[in-house]
Amino acid sequence: MLKNYIKIAYRNLLKNKVYSLINIFGLGVGIACCFLIFNFVQKELSYDTYHANYDRIYRVIHGNTEGDNTIEGKSYDDFWVWGNAPVGPALQNDFPEVDKVVRFSGRADILFMLEEVPYQETGVLFMDSTAFDVFSWKLIHGDPKTVLDAPYKVVLTESTAMKYFGETDVVGRTLDGSASPGRSDAGLYTVSGVMEDVPENSHFDFNLLLSFETFSTNRPFILESWGYVDTYTYLLMDKNTDFEAFQAKLPSFVERVRALDDDIGNYDIAVEKMEDFYLRSEAQRQPGTVGSLPNIYIFSMIGLFILVIAIINFMNLSTARSLERAKEVGIRKSIGADRSSLIYQFLGESGMIVSLAGIVAVLLVALALPIMNDLTGKTFIFNEMLNTKTIPLFIIGLMIVGLLAGSYPALALSSFKPVSILKGVSKTDSKGVALRKGLVVFQFALSISLIVGTLVVYNQMTHLLDRDMGFTDEQMLLIEYNYDFQVNSIMEPIRDRLEDVSGVKNVAFSRSVPGSYFPNAGTGIVNAEGEFVYKDQAIFQVGMDFIEQYDLEMVAGRSYSRDILSDTTQAIVVNEALARQYGYANPADMLGKRFEQWGKEGEVIGIVKDFNFVSLHNEIEPLSLPYEPFASRYVSIKVETENLQETITEVEDIWSEMVPHRPFLYSFLDEDFNNQYEADFRFRKIFTSFSVLAILIACLGLLGLATYTAEQRTKEIGIRKVLGANVASLIAMLSWDFVKLVLIALALAIPVSWWAMDSWLQGFAYRTNISIWIFPLAGILALSVAVFTISFQSLKAALVNPVKSLKSE
């Protein structure tokens, strides 16, 4: 019997080649998309799980709270991961639950010289010697207990060791970091270890580790300063730690800390679990990239939508063609087959189709991996995706899909009454027709929702790129030189030489530029009530020409002037948000008010209009722009658009002449600033790509149904043509039934898609509104695709010779 079932299933596949191909390919694409999205989601959820101590690793987040000092009610988006150095040892001293502490600095760049060749190394961290006790990074060479236990020791990643030395067995070799005199971390570093590259699914990464002893030896005051921010602190907790009980003890710890230092005000801390670092942390100043949990939910839903749409196609085509199998069912029942055996037969047939679709899916996954890697910016390897864990899940998934896709057709076919069928009495099951229409409405509602989502995402990203940020970023060439003392000591001669280049308009120096790293500073200013108060805010240390260079608009007062000597030591310019922070509704009222900041005193001389110096995910923060050119890290060069490459070459020649010890590292500000939106652009690409696939799969099913409907109405079409119906009216008749379903789907999709995309837009401080035109446009696009899909088959049916049509029965 089983052999007979397989033979019949095989014959039906060959007999109905078009429908078989639609079912197999449609399901194959749906399964492949779902599998790819599943792997993407798994990779996002797997961040940091490679650490053996994953469940025991926590980190400290720092902030300032007003009034009640309890965990409940804290706004974690006001907290920073970046904080002070002494908090870790203090926690370890006060709480036996804290097993080990590992601290590391904010990301640094260091200039190394190797065989007279300069390398500006990025991704450098100063890290405690306990790093390899807490984190599960694998050392290829070196002792994990001693690799970071003394000043000027360095651990290289495997790829960094290959870059510098061409091999990994390099313990004892040296890297000369003394090429930047004046920096506290300059010196000769000895390679003490080489480790494997940091796994891709890590919430922060690096190219090399320098010992925290180097950091603390050169700046020992940091270890005791509760108000100096330049350290990340991670904790390895005891295995039996009660996290809630530990949290409950923190307020009393914070009170003791506040008593030690009056200057830290309402300083507060909380702790986060490692499972929250990548996807759930709302704290600012992360040590690396973070993911988006809402995006994970969205991608998961898209994967499910695509699979559901493919399953609906299968069910629709199977039930629509059920009458063609009616006589077979009648004969089988008349010779003794019971309903259960027929159900098993048809479920087996659907299982065969799903198995073939699974093979197609595997082939499509293998072909699509390079595209998937490009879309997501992550590395997916076929052999790693199909492993002992995923293969059983894939097989179970196919079985579930086969059961879902084949259940209704099997139940519908097995319910036919043999007496009626063998007498030739057969009529369309109204319940089956209603179900098919309902499924078409459902899958097109999903498709329209995806079209709306795609339009909203594109609209928001266009809004980000087109928004006036409040500063000039076009044709702004940046040279990054990492605070080099030698460069800052000759910045005026460098500026003069660069401004002599014909393609250069003007030049300015600064520590930060929009979109780059910037520190925060405690600043005391007389507020609107006449009180001298300290508040914390972002700080851009700038040279004399920075404000003019970036076309920042002065809303009150003036910028710095070379003609006023006191501007270099006793003046400060701030933004409107900072004026509001101190209670000034009218920025001009802040002019002349006394300030103190990092040892400098004087008065406020100007207020610039607010500009977006961070991404549009965030509101504009209070910002001060003190004159401090010797803290600079960047040269900003405004260049002409004509002969740009020649200008860059001339600039490089001047740089190489005046700064021979440092490589010429340049970029353009607009590109650097937009890199903040890389994750958003990737989201757009992934969302759009899978949305298009979902719509194509829906249309594939619609094509199959349209073809079958046209076949069923062959005789009707012939009679109508004999009675004078023209081709256009026949196409309209055949298409209208499907167009009505798409219109119903549009009505259902509007509220759902509006709610979903409005929730997504909440992640942007500056967001576009969901325009009403998006919904009719989505409907028009869906209708156009549906009509195009149907019209070809409708046209083919309408053009058939009526004589042939009337002979068809």
Side-chain angles (χ1 to χ4, degrees), residues 586-608:
N586 179 10
D589 293 339
M590 198 180 199
L591 295 175
K593 295 298 189 265
R594 185 170 69 88
F595 83 91
E596 289 181 2
Q597 184 185 77
W598 285 359
K600 181 184 287 188
E601 297 183 25
E603 65 180 38
V604 178
I605 64 167
I607 292 91
V608 299

Side-chain angles (χ1 to χ4, degrees), residues 148 178 203 243 354 437 486 519 550 627 637 678 694 698 700 709:
L148 294 171
S178 60
H203 76 282
F243 180 63
V354 170
K437 288 182 177 179
Q486 290 178 270
Y550 281 85
Y627 175 79
I637 308 171
E678 182 181 1
L700 197 62
T709 301

Side-chain angles (χ1 to χ4, degrees), residues 417-457:
K417 295 178 180 180
V419 175
S420 299
I421 293 169
L422 294 176
K423 283 182 178 180
V425 179
S426 63
K427 57 182 179 180
T428 302
D429 182 4
S430 60
K431 292 182 180 179
V433 172
L435 176 67
R436 288 195 295 278
K437 288 182 177 179
L439 292 176
V440 169
V441 168
F442 181 66
Q443 66 178 179
F444 263 89
L446 295 181
S447 300
I448 291 169
S449 297
L450 292 174
I451 293 174
V452 169
T454 301
L455 293 173
V456 171
V457 170

Side-chain angles (χ1 to χ4, degrees), residues 257-503:
V257 169
R258 288 176 177 177
L260 294 174
D261 191 341
D262 294 336
D263 292 335
I264 61 176
N266 291 313
Y267 173 71
D268 198 6
I269 65 168
V271 288
E272 291 183 322
K273 299 179 180 180
M274 181 167 253
E275 65 186 39
D276 296 331
F277 292 178
Y278 180 69
L279 287 175
R280 299 177 182 86
S281 177
E282 296 181 357
Q284 302 296 310
R285 299 293 185 131
Q286 295 285 341
T289 58
V290 293
S292 169
L293 198 59
N295 287 358
I296 295 296
Y297 292 144
I298 290 172
F299 290 139
S300 299
M301 292 303 297
I302 290 175
L304 184 62
F305 285 177
I306 291 174
L307 189 59
V308 167
I309 289 170
I311 290 173
I312 288 173
N313 285 349
F314 180 90
M315 293 174 66
N316 270 342
L317 288 176
S318 296
T319 53
R321 301 189 66 81
S322 60
L323 290 178
E324 295 185 7
R325 305 288 298 276
K327 288 185 178 179
E328 176 191 343
V329 172
I331 293 170
R332 285 185 178 278
K333 281 193 169 184
S334 66
I335 60 177
D338 58 19
R339 189 179 182 188
S340 61
S341 65
L342 290 169
I343 289 174
Y344 292 142
Q345 175 191 347
F346 293 123
L347 281 176
E349 289 184 15
S350 73
M352 177 181 289
I353 292 173
V354 170
S355 298
L356 293 172
I359 296 171
V360 171
V362 171
L363 294 174
L364 290 174
V365 167
L367 292 173
L369 275 186
I371 300 172
M372 187 68 177
N373 290 339
D374 178 63
L375 282 176
T376 62
K378 301 184 185 298
T379 304
F380 294 94
I381 301 172
F382 186 73
N383 293 339
E384 293 180 359
M385 292 172 68
L386 290 177
N387 52 46
T388 53
K389 291 183 179 179
T390 58
I391 290 175
L393 287 173
F394 185 72
I395 293 172
I396 292 171
L398 288 180
M399 294 172 64
I400 293 172
V401 170
L403 186 62
L404 290 173
S407 57
Y408 182 78
L411 291 170
L413 287 167
S414 63
S415 66
F416 290 157
K417 295 178 180 180
V419 175
S420 299
I421 293 169
L422 294 176
K423 283 182 178 180
V425 179
S426 63
K427 57 182 179 180
T428 302
D429 182 4
S430 60
K431 292 182 180 179
V433 172
L435 176 67
R436 288 195 295 278
K437 288 182 177 179
L439 292 176
V440 169
V441 168
F442 181 66
Q443 66 178 179
F444 263 89
L446 295 181
S447 300
I448 291 169
S449 297
L450 292 174
I451 293 174
V452 169
T454 301
L455 293 173
V456 171
V457 170
Y458 264 87
N459 204 20
Q460 174 62 17
M461 296 313 297
T462 301
H463 176 70
L464 293 183
L465 295 178
D466 292 346
R467 179 181 169 84
D468 181 6
M469 306 297 287
F471 63 89
T472 295
D473 65 351
E474 294 181 358
Q475 301 307 124
M476 191 72 76
L477 181 71
L478 300 178
I479 305 176
E480 196 275 316
Y481 59 90
N482 199 30
Y483 315 103
D484 192 305
F485 174 78
Q486 290 178 270
V487 177
N488 285 334
S489 66
I490 57 170
M491 63 172 60
E492 288 300 316
I494 291 175
R495 182 180 67 86
D496 293 341
R497 287 286 305 278
L498 291 176
E499 288 188 344
D500 285 340
V501 176
S502 59

Side-chain angles (χ1 to χ4, degrees), residues 488-661:
N488 285 334
S489 66
I490 57 170
M491 63 172 60
E492 288 300 316
I494 291 175
R495 182 180 67 86
D496 293 341
R497 287 286 305 278
L498 291 176
E499 288 188 344
D500 285 340
V501 176
S502 59
V504 172
K505 295 181 180 179
N506 39 53
V507 177
F509 285 78
S510 62
R511 177 175 185 171
S512 307
V513 295
S516 76
Y517 160 83
F518 56 87
N520 274 50
T523 306
I525 299 180
V526 177
N527 66 14
E529 286 74 39
E531 299 174 340
F532 191 82
V533 296
Y534 268 88
K535 292 182 179 293
D536 188 70
Q537 66 276 132
I539 175 175
F540 270 35
Q541 292 168 291
V542 302
M544 187 64 68
D545 307 299
F546 180 87
I547 291 172
E548 290 75 19
Q549 176 85 349
Y550 281 85
D551 294 326
L552 302 184
E553 181 182 342
M554 301 299 302
V555 295
R558 60 180 178 81
S559 180
Y560 299 109
S561 171
R562 286 185 171 84
D563 298 327
I564 303 174
L565 185 60
S566 61
D567 280 5
T568 62
T569 57
Q570 299 173 358
I572 195 169
V573 175
V574 302
N575 72 347
E576 292 174 292
L578 189 141
R580 290 192 297 271
Q581 185 185 29
Y582 285 88
Y584 292 99
N586 179 10
D589 293 339
M590 198 180 199
L591 295 175
K593 295 298 189 265
R594 185 170 69 88
F595 83 91
E596 289 181 2
Q597 184 185 77
W598 285 359
K600 181 184 287 188
E601 297 183 25
E603 65 180 38
V604 178
I605 64 167
I607 292 91
V608 299
K609 185 176 181 180
D610 283 344
F611 65 99
N612 294 96
F613 57 94
V614 294
S615 82
L616 294 178
H617 283 281
N618 307 100
E619 299 278 358
I620 296 176
E621 303 175 23
L623 173 72
S624 62
L625 299 97
Y627 175 79
E628 195 62 56
F630 294 106
S632 293
R633 179 179 184 172
Y634 293 96
V635 186
S636 299
I637 308 171
K638 194 178 293 186
V639 295
E640 300 280 2
T641 55
E642 293 184 12
N643 304 317
L644 182 59
Q645 194 54 53
E646 293 180 15
T647 300
I648 294 174
T649 301
E650 287 187 57
V651 169
E652 181 177 10
D653 291 340
I654 293 171
W655 185 262
S656 299
E657 177 190 337
M658 301 190 73
V659 193
H661 67 284

